[in-house]
Amino acid sequence: MAEWAKEQDFNEILEKSNIIFGGEGNTDYFQLYHPKLYEVRNSATEHLIVREDDGIKGILGVFPAEMDVCGNKLTVDGFGTMGVLKEARGKGYMKDLMNTAVAASKSRAHIAFLGGRRQRYEYFGFTPSGVAASFSFNRDNARHGIEGADLSVYGFSEGKTAEEAAFACKLYNRRPAKVLRTESNFLTMLKTCRSTSIIIRKNGELFGYASVNGEGRSINEIELEDIKELPAVLAAYLANYELRGISVGGVFMFETEKLKMLDSVCENMSLHCCENFMINDYVAVIRAFLMLKASYTKLYDCHTVLEIEGADRIEISICNGNISVNSTDKDADLTMKPLEATRLLFGITSQVGIRNDIPEDFGHNLPLPLFYSRPDFV
């Protein structure tokens, strides 16, 4: 049976996790992949485990975090480090771990998320949701799209100091919506998924930061003092690291200025889902992300009662910018299963406007800008 691990289980959790994901003899897979969880602290008690007489056989991490969305605090559970040793597979351990974790999350978190195959995890309530944009930027974009910019003013180095961490954290906190991070762990967060933390300077002064991976060819997250200089910074980055091109990912719908600047110079753009999400408290999450959407675009007046089978019946009303989201006993205008509702409210099909079976006024406000950043992945 699945049980919560204790602090003294940490070394065994790390050893077995490294074997499950990295193979026999691997000793540093997760220390490099998730240093925020396994290198700088003991995270044992955030894991569910299954034991046999000779030790731990199955593991599932349930890592708590908190989001601030326009002042609304939302608790989050990230499911990760999930696996079973080869010799113990086929015994139902992963199903036991997932069922236990989902039950725990529903009692304590507004949202849960994980990565992996949708068909595997939709059985437990997770489905691909959230909309993010990715862009490609190359030397031709830099040559022809950055007119008259002096690229020599920008410098790049790996982030290491407390001063750099404090600066980067302050920039990050200007976002209207974010997963909460601290100065002390900020640079470590940027190293998630074997990434590197990069500090950007202009004329020698702190100017921005980025999280990059793929030998520096992929930018997971970037913030600048003045986002209008983003095209010039990207051009300088290519020149500094002698790259032919880079991708810039993890750009969300509420980052309108960043989207505009990238759209003005980049070669290509694509939209994709952020992660597999499970919504535990639809009322709180819908309310928070309607407020976020209202911060950057007009909301259409609407009144809809949405019933989510087995979860809640919710009255959503928007009138002259005033947002009301509450549980209700009124008759439903729409009835959906949780997976369908999550995709409708937060998914990419609403982004491209192909749902024609919902009230038009309600549909105009969808999808809501649910997101999750790469440095916060587990």
Side-chain angles (χ1 to χ4, degrees):
M1 294 291 292
E3 62 184 70
W4 290 101
K6 299 177 174 59
E7 286 190 3
Q8 57 265 34
D9 295 316
F10 181 73
N11 289 335
E12 186 179 2
I13 288 171
L14 191 52
E15 174 193 358
K16 300 294 177 62
S17 298
N18 283 335
I19 291 171
I20 291 168
F21 286 86
E24 293 287 345
N26 192 291
T27 59
D28 63 358
Y29 182 94
F30 274 101
Q31 295 94 317
L32 295 174
Y33 202 77
H34 284 311
K36 65 189 179 191
L37 302 177
Y38 296 108
E39 187 179 59
V40 299
R41 68 185 182 90
N42 184 328
S43 61
T45 58
E46 295 166 15
H47 295 75
L48 283 162
I49 57 174
V50 174
R51 302 180 192 268
E52 290 184 358
D53 291 342
D54 57 346
I56 294 173
K57 299 298 182 181
I59 302 163
L60 195 163
V62 186
F63 304 103
E66 188 174 35
M67 300 178 83
D68 183 323
V69 182
C70 293
N72 296 279
K73 296 299 192 296
L74 299 175
T75 51
V76 182
D77 277 335
F79 288 31
T81 316
M82 54 183 78
V84 176
L85 289 167
K86 287 183 180 179
E87 68 268 19
R89 291 174 187 169
K91 298 181 179 181
Y93 289 162
M94 184 49 63
K95 183 181 291 186
D96 183 20
L97 288 164
M98 280 295 297
N99 285 332
T100 304
V102 166
S105 184
K106 285 186 177 297
S107 70
R108 74 183 199 183
H110 295 99
I111 305 169
F113 75 92
L114 53 72
R117 300 174 186 172
R118 65 179 293 175
Q119 276 74 24
R120 175 181 294 175
Y121 296 112
E122 282 187 339
Y123 286 110
F124 300 97
F126 295 85
T127 195
S129 306
V131 180
S134 292
F135 295 81
S136 62
F137 181 86
N138 60 40
R139 288 181 181 177
D140 286 341
N141 303 141
R143 184 179 302 114
H144 300 290
I146 317 297
E147 296 182 3
D150 181 4
L151 304 185
S152 68
V153 301
Y154 302 107
F156 306 87
S157 61
E158 185 174 353
K160 294 181 178 179
T161 71
E163 178 189 14
E164 291 168 339
F167 168 80
C169 191
K170 183 177 179 181
L171 269 188
Y172 173 78
N173 282 333
R174 298 192 312 192
R175 292 182 172 199
K178 52 195 169 286
V179 179
L180 298 184
R181 305 175 191 168
T182 64
E183 289 183 15
S184 62
N185 75 356
F186 198 87
L187 296 181
T188 301
M189 298 284 289
L190 297 184
K191 296 178 182 178
T192 297
C193 303
R194 290 187 174 85
S195 302
T196 301
S197 62
I198 297 295
I199 294 297
I200 303 162
R201 285 180 167 78
K202 180 180 179 182
N203 295 318
E205 300 295 324
L206 291 168
F207 186 70
Y209 77 86
S211 169
V212 306
N213 65 5
E215 297 181 336
R217 292 181 174 84
S218 179
I219 296 177
N220 306 318
E221 180 174 294
I222 186 166
E223 290 292 346
L224 303 173
E225 284 276 23
D226 185 353
I227 207 64
K228 291 183 176 61
E229 296 187 39
L230 180 55
V233 168
L234 295 180
Y237 180 88
L238 284 186
N240 185 81
Y241 292 103
E242 299 180 343
L243 298 172
R244 297 183 62 84
I246 54 173
S247 64
V248 183
V251 185
F252 305 115
M253 298 302 100
F254 62 87
E255 298 182 284
T256 53
E257 289 303 312
K258 193 179 294 183
L259 289 166
K260 288 176 185 176
M261 298 314 301
L262 290 167
D263 181 60
S264 71
V265 296
C266 286
E267 189 70 21
N268 294 301
M269 186 270 282
S270 62
L271 295 178
H272 51 88
C273 291
C274 294
E275 268 290 12
N276 296 307
F277 287 94
M278 177 176 69
I279 308 302
N280 296 328
D281 187 335
Y282 282 92
V283 169
V285 175
I286 292 170
R287 183 186 295 121
F289 284 97
L290 272 172
M291 290 177 64
L292 177 58
K293 190 155 191 173
S295 72
Y296 64 89
T297 192
K298 171 184 169 59
L299 294 183
Y300 289 79
D301 287 356
C302 69
H303 181 270
T304 300
V305 176
L306 172 62
E307 182 173 6
I308 302 171
E309 294 178 0
D312 204 352
R313 188 178 298 177
I314 305 161
E315 183 177 24
I316 303 167
S317 178
I318 302 170
C319 183
N320 296 324
N322 295 311
I323 298 166
S324 175
V325 183
N326 295 288
S327 295
T328 185
D329 293 325
K330 295 179 180 178
D331 291 341
D333 301 305
L334 291 170
T335 300
M336 296 181 175
K337 298 182 184 300
L339 294 181
E340 184 183 11
T342 299
R343 291 193 296 268
L344 170 70
L345 292 165
F346 308 105
I348 203 162
T349 55
S350 293
Q351 179 72 40
V352 296
I354 62 175
R355 289 294 299 254
N356 57 12
D357 56 342
I358 59 175
E360 185 176 4
D361 53 358
F362 178 55
H364 280 317
N365 295 312
L366 302 178
L368 304 181
L370 180 64
F371 70 96
Y372 222 75
S373 302
R374 176 61 65 88
D376 302 300
F377 284 5
V378 297

